């Protein structure tokens, strides 16, 4: 019986790489990424290679530490997400995507959530001119396409992993339910879980809702304090953000976060100050915003998280060839 509390990742790199489970999981991952590229390039998106270092990175990863590097005497960061570059890239192309590596030194206690790595990848998508509704529909269609291609193209790998088409009936139907954050909070309280109305759903709460569902669903309209300055505040509902998370069914939890973006210079400065960020650090980004970065919506799917769910793996590290569990020394 799998026990997350005592799980410290693979016994050694060699046995992990040669394990039939790892091989099947990585083939599923490759199938998901190939399907994503097929879908996105077919819908007019251009793939860009994302930067790995920069003067600043996404400050929105609460609880996780950023990693500094010495860049010719300047303090640079490893990317915790590609958000600043995704928005800026819309100056070149109005629909872009990338598969981006992220490094976040997550708190030690996250090593046993089965959902956290210190190094992982996001499939990042940004769509100029799109509303939240449009980008949520794109996300739905993209995820359905990715999973359908794996279900039809890699049945042998799924069988090896103990998964089959029936596990994805809810997902393949599409049309994912939308649950406003406030409603999710009420559902959790009715279940006896003390979820705060002003924060992200906590891991336990998210797992509870995820376990009760047989299809992915979207939680929308998170409260302002819970996210970075780039998630746009709803002009009709101050204090609410025009954002969303995609939550997997069967207890696998969050797969993706996305939002309509703030692209107004003054609004970004205000939101930076509200979130404790010093605008001076973001000079290159703010210069572009002031000159005019298009309005957009976008999202980032955790590649290892999605692989874990599709492959039905006990822990997210099984979806990485070289997993880095928070605090665990590994190649
Ligand atoms: P976030 O910007 O924190 O919402 O991250 C975007 C997506 O990346 C999430 O929806 C997850 O799927 C994935 N993700 C975030 N943090 C981690 C982590 N520490 N390990 C693995 N996947 C992660
Ligand atoms: Mg998130």
């Amino acid at each position: 019986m799998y026990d997350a509390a005592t799980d410290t990742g693979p016994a050694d790199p060699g046995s992990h790489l040669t394990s039939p489970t790892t091989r099947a999981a990585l083939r599923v991952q490759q199938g998901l990424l190939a399907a994503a590229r097929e879908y996105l390039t077919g819908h007019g998106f251009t793939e860009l290679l994302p930067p790995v270092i920069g003067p600043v990175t996404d400050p929105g990863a609460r609880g996780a530490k950023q990693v500094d590097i010495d860049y010719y005497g300047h303090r640079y960061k490893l990317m915790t997400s590609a958000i600043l570059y995704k928005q800026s890239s819309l100056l070149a192309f109005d629909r872009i995507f990338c598969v981006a590596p992220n490094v976040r030194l997550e708190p030690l206690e996250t090593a046993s959530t089965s959902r956290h790595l210190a190094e992982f990848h996001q499939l990042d998508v940004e769509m100029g001119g799109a509303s939240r509704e449009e980008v949520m529909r794109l996300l739905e269609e993209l995820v359905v396409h990715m999973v359908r291609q794996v279900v039809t193209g890699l049945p042998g790998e799924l069988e090896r992993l103990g998964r089959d088409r029936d596990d994805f009936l809810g997902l393949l139907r599409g049309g994912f339910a939308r649950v406003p954050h406030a409603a999710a909070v009420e559902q959790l309280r009715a279940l006896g879980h003390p979820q705060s109305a002003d924060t992200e759903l906590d891991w336990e709460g998210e797992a509870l809702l995820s376990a009760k569902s047989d299809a992915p669903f979207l939680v929308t309209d998170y409260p302002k304090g819970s996210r970075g300055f780039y998630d746009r505040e709803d002009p009709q509902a101050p204090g609410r953000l025009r954002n969303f998370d995609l939550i997997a069914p069967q207890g696998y939890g969050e797969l993706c976060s996305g939002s309509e973006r703030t692209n107004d210079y003054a609004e970004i400065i205000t939101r930076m100050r509200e979130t404790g960020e010093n605008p001076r650090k973001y000079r290159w980004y703010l210069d572009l915003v002031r000159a005019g970065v298009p309005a957009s919506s976008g999202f980032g799917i955790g590649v290892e998280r999605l692989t874990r769910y599709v492959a039905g793996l006990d822990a997210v590290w099984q979806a990485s060839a070289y997993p880095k569990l928070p605090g665990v020394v590994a190649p």
Side-chain angles (χ1 to χ4, degrees), residues 223-295:
K224 190 155 104 168
S226 69
R227 294 290 166 92
F229 59 80
Y230 39 78
D231 282 13
R232 180 156 179 254
E233 188 170 1
D234 192 333
Q236 260 85 59
R240 293 276 149 204
L241 300 171
R242 288 183 61 77
N243 62 1
F244 56 90
D245 272 10
L246 179 67
I247 313 290
Q250 302 154 9
Y252 289 95
E254 177 188 336
L255 297 176
C256 165
S257 287
S259 191
E260 212 166 282
R261 308 300 183 193
T262 321
N263 71 325
D264 177 77
Y265 180 78
E267 207 176 316
I268 293 183
I269 299 279
T270 307
R271 293 286 306 283
M272 280 182 167
R273 296 222 164 95
E274 283 171 358
T275 54
E277 286 303 309
N278 178 358
R280 272 207 301 257
K281 289 195 316 190
Y282 294 87
R283 181 132 180 226
W284 74 266
Y285 168 75
L286 287 170
D287 283 349
L288 292 181
V289 169
R290 187 159 41 193
V293 167

Side-chain angles (χ1 to χ4, degrees), residues 104-125:
R104 300 182 185 177
L105 300 187
E106 300 279 5
L108 285 176
E109 59 271 21
T110 63
S112 56
T113 62
S114 310
R115 292 197 293 281
H116 289 87
L117 292 166
E119 181 185 66
F120 63 97
H121 295 77
Q122 286 191 62
L123 171 60
D124 274 308
V125 175

Side-chain angles (χ1 to χ4, degrees), residues 81-227:
S81 95
I83 179 66
L84 304 175
Y85 294 92
K86 277 205 291 188
Q87 244 188 313
S88 306
S89 299
L90 297 177
L91 291 169
F93 303 106
D94 61 9
R95 294 177 165 207
I96 61 105
F97 74 100
C98 53
V99 181
N102 298 163
V103 176
R104 300 182 185 177
L105 300 187
E106 300 279 5
L108 285 176
E109 59 271 21
T110 63
S112 56
T113 62
S114 310
R115 292 197 293 281
H116 289 87
L117 292 166
E119 181 185 66
F120 63 97
H121 295 77
Q122 286 191 62
L123 171 60
D124 274 308
V125 175
E126 198 70 22
M127 196 173 173
S131 66
R132 172 175 67 171
E133 189 49 42
E134 285 169 310
V135 90
M136 286 196 300
R137 278 205 300 274
L138 179 92
L139 170 64
E140 241 167 42
E141 277 186 33
L142 170 65
V143 168
V144 168
H145 181 79
M146 290 166 81
V147 173
R148 190 188 294 122
Q149 292 301 89
V150 166
V151 166
T152 53
L154 296 170
E157 305 298 348
L158 285 183
E159 195 187 330
R160 203 158 295 133
L161 292 157
R163 291 292 243 182
D164 63 34
R165 193 184 181 89
D166 287 355
D167 292 307
F168 304 104
L169 291 180
L171 182 147
L172 293 170
R173 270 197 302 272
F176 305 159
R178 273 96 160 121
V179 185
H181 178 271
V185 170
E186 267 175 41
Q187 282 180 34
L188 285 171
R189 288 180 179 169
L191 291 169
H193 181 75
Q195 172 64 48
S196 156
D198 306 319
T199 61
E200 288 258 20
L201 303 181
D202 56 44
W203 297 325
E204 230 177 279
E206 184 192 287
L208 270 172
L209 294 181
S210 169
K212 276 172 38 110
S213 180
D214 68 349
F217 57 96
L218 290 150
V219 176
T220 64
D221 304 274
Y222 283 80
K224 190 155 104 168
S226 69
R227 294 290 166 92

